[in-house]
Each structure stands twice: as structure tokens, then as C-alpha cells.
Amino acid sequence: MEIVVLGSGSSGNSYYFPFGDIYNFVDVGVARNLLRPLLSEKRPRHINIFITHEHNDHISGLRSLQRMFPTVPIFVYASTPVLNLLHNMTSLQKFWLSEFVTPHEMHPDKLYSVNMLVEGDSPCNGSVPRINVRTHRILHNSPLGLSYRFDILVPEPATITSDNLPASNTKNVDIFNKHEIYSGNENIVSVGFLSDTGDITPEMLDSYGRCRILFLEANYDDSLLEKSSYPRAVKQRIASSTGHLSNAQGLQFMEKLSVSGRVKVLVLSHVSENANSYNLLESYSDFYQSTYSIKSVVLKQKSFRKIIIK
């Protein structure tokens, strides 16, 4: 099993999990030229898309994906308000979602099973694991945005490695190399995606504290946001309780999660290049490693990374 990062940040967000011939996306906010090379070798039988919210950097590639796989059902996991907005967005006015997509409305703080959408598949058969999805409401300027935790049943206890794509960009390739994340006979990989939220709720704290791998937003640094060229209104929106997570908020969150010791891999994502610093975030990564023994990496915008669980 692998997690492929196609993009992370204001320029576009998309991650996907291929399981056999079933492909599961978290957002599709990237261009077609990024999707095609990674999906052309094996055409999936089914595509599941988990939309966090309707902002362009999270959905801009939906139309391209549908054109690439016109005969494959695409499941969009989103609330009815988000689906309505997708119908009416100018950039998608010719993309009538209902003609190509079977919408499955999801609600916050609920547990769903992906396998119920795929007829004929047993809960865990060969290379196709069972995937349960826990949803949480994000506090963002969106009608009803959701974050996701995936609980994935795999055949054997797992280890995790990571490398970059393409191979020419290999800095920090071995940061996750052979990092064991399980003991005993536990066969469930829990992966969380928490981004585009201005605050962290008690439900998020409980749910994402159960993850072994956590993609956590590190959007801005307070002082760098204040010094940025953003208009005052934009600065206030970003730093509001319905904006984005700051480095400081992420640190407080991880301090609380460290008590359980279950998070083993932390991926700092959705970084603003205007209001944050990659060098600063590397120091946060070093701190998480030295203080909490959490392997950490910073995702840069428009960079590929593949995380492998085997």
C-alpha cells in the first residue's frame, strides 16, 4: 500500500491511495499533467474521491479526472452544500457532476466503510484491504468541510518507508526507511488528514490521536503572516477560528497527542510560502523527532512524495 502526494499547499492539494485496482483520492486540486503519468500505467476499476471542501485548490482537477476515466464511477464524498457549489462554480459549469458522479453525502463525526461502495468485493480479499473512514467537521470558510481518518486493514503487520518522485529529487528519502509502526499482531494502519481548519476540536484530538501517520496542516507562522504582503482582511481570515492552522497550533496539538505515543509519522502539509518558512518548519520537525520520537517531514508545494506501507 502506498500514499502518493501529488500536491500540498495553495497551488493545489491531492493525495491518493491505490489498493489493487481501486484508487482512493483525498482531494483533486491538481492539473491533469500531474494525474496522467501516475494513473496511465494501471487504469483503476473504481475511483473514490474524498473531497474536504469546495475551494479551487482542492477540486480543480475533478473535471480532468472524469475525462481520463469517463466510464468509471467516481464517488464524491461531500456534503450536499458542497455538491451544490460544485454544480454552480463557473470553472465547472460544463461539468455537470450528477451525470458522472454518484454522490454519497457524508456527515461529520461518523464512521463509513469504503467497501460498501464496491459491489462484489469482500471486506478484505487479497490486496484489497478493508477501509473505514472517520469524518470530522473542519472549522473553515466552507459550508461543510470535512477532514478524514482512514483505518485500513492490511494482511500483515506493517512497516513504513518513503521516497520522492521523481527519483532525481532524493533529499531525505530515507527519513521513514524501515520505520516500524506496529507491534504484536495489530494489522490496522490509521492515516489522518487534518487541514484547512482554524481550530482543533476535542473530537479531532481524540480521533487523530489514534493515527500512526498524520498529515497535519502547518499553514503559517504568526510573525511571518503579520509581515506578509497579504491584505489585512486576508491576514485576519487566515488567523481566525475558521481559517488555517498555524505552526504554534500544530505544536500545541502534537504536545497533547504525544501523551498517547501513537503518532509515529508526522507529515507537515498545506504550507503557505507567503506566510511560513520551510527552514522554520524543519526546526519543528527536528523538535518532534528529538522530543517525541516522531518521524517528521515537511511537504513543499508542487513536490511529489510517495509513502509506502508494506
Side-chain angles (χ1 to χ4, degrees):
M1 190 190 85
E2 63 185 24
I3 304 170
V4 178
V5 180
L6 300 180
S8 177
S10 58
S11 60
N13 298 273
S14 185
Y15 312 86
Y16 82 93
F17 308 70
F19 296 133
D21 57 0
I22 302 172
Y23 281 57
N24 302 277
F25 283 81
V26 179
D27 288 332
V28 191
V30 294
R32 180 174 180 168
N33 65 333
L34 294 179
L35 294 168
R36 181 176 289 279
L38 294 170
L39 298 178
S40 59
E41 292 184 4
K42 293 183 179 180
R43 294 184 64 85
R45 181 165 54 92
H46 287 277
I47 298 177
N48 301 320
I49 305 177
F50 300 82
I51 297 295
T52 59
H53 61 295
E54 81 291 350
H55 290 167
N56 196 56
D57 57 325
H58 295 263
I59 66 165
S60 61
L62 268 177
R63 186 177 183 182
S64 295
L65 189 61
Q66 187 276 325
R67 284 175 171 173
M68 292 171 62
F69 302 99
T71 62
V72 177
I74 300 177
F75 298 97
V76 175
Y77 277 27
S79 66
T80 297
V82 172
L83 291 174
N84 291 338
L85 283 172
L86 289 174
H87 282 296
N88 297 324
M89 288 183 65
T90 302
S91 62
L92 297 178
Q93 60 184 352
K94 294 182 180 180
F95 174 43
W96 298 108
L97 207 61
S98 60
E99 293 182 10
F100 311 111
V101 173
T102 303
H104 291 265
E105 182 174 345
M106 301 190 83
H107 301 276
D109 302 315
K110 300 292 184 181
L111 182 66
Y112 297 86
S113 173
V114 175
N115 296 80
M116 68 184 179
L117 302 178
V118 184
E119 295 182 3
D121 284 328
S122 60
C124 187
N125 181 16
S127 62
V128 182
R130 175 186 298 168
I131 309 172
N132 290 329
V133 187
R134 175 73 66 177
T135 59
H136 297 285
R137 173 76 182 270
I138 55 175
L139 306 177
H140 197 52
N141 57 327
S142 171
L144 183 59
L146 295 175
S147 62
Y148 300 100
R149 189 192 83 207
F150 297 85
D151 299 327
I152 305 161
L153 179 64
V154 294
E156 300 292 339
T159 59
I160 179 167
T161 62
S162 173
D163 60 23
N164 287 335
L165 301 174
S168 59
N169 182 13
T170 57
K171 184 179 180 181
N172 295 328
V173 164
D174 62 349
I175 189 169
F176 303 109
N177 189 34
K178 298 181 189 246
H179 175 60
E180 187 172 345
I181 59 175
Y182 290 99
S183 60
N185 296 317
E186 187 177 3
N187 287 26
I188 295 178
V189 178
S190 293
V191 184
F193 291 84
L194 179 56
S195 181
D196 293 82
T197 185
D199 204 356
I200 295 172
T201 65
E203 292 78 15
M204 292 176 182
L205 182 64
D206 176 70
S207 182
Y208 294 107
R210 301 170 186 267
C211 291
R212 291 296 183 270
I213 308 164
L214 176 60
F215 287 72
L216 179 67
E217 180 176 40
N219 186 256
Y220 69 95
D221 173 77
D222 291 284
S223 61
L224 293 179
L225 175 63
E226 185 60 32
K227 296 175 183 177
S228 71
S229 59
Y230 287 135
R232 174 56 54 184
V234 175
K235 293 178 182 179
Q236 291 175 341
R237 176 181 59 80
I238 291 173
S240 73
S241 60
T242 56
H244 292 274
L245 287 180
S246 68
N247 299 342
Q249 287 175 299
L251 177 60
Q252 293 172 358
F253 185 43
M254 294 310 299
E255 286 176 344
K256 294 176 181 178
L257 295 191
S258 67
V259 175
S260 68
R262 299 189 69 175
V263 177
K264 301 301 182 183
V265 178
L266 177 66
V267 185
L268 299 177
S269 59
H270 209 298
V271 178
S272 168
E273 293 187 333
N274 297 320
N276 213 337
S277 161
Y278 291 125
N279 289 335
L280 178 60
L281 287 173
E282 290 295 344
S283 68
Y284 275 88
S285 288
D286 292 341
F287 176 81
Y288 293 132
Q289 170 66 44
S290 61
T291 306
Y292 304 130
S293 297
I294 296 175
K295 299 288 186 180
S296 179
V297 68
V298 180
L299 292 183
K300 295 184 178 181
Q301 295 196 34
K302 298 182 180 179
S303 65
F304 300 95
R305 181 174 290 273
K306 178 161 56 175
I307 297 173
I308 303 171
I309 301 171
K310 62 182 181 179

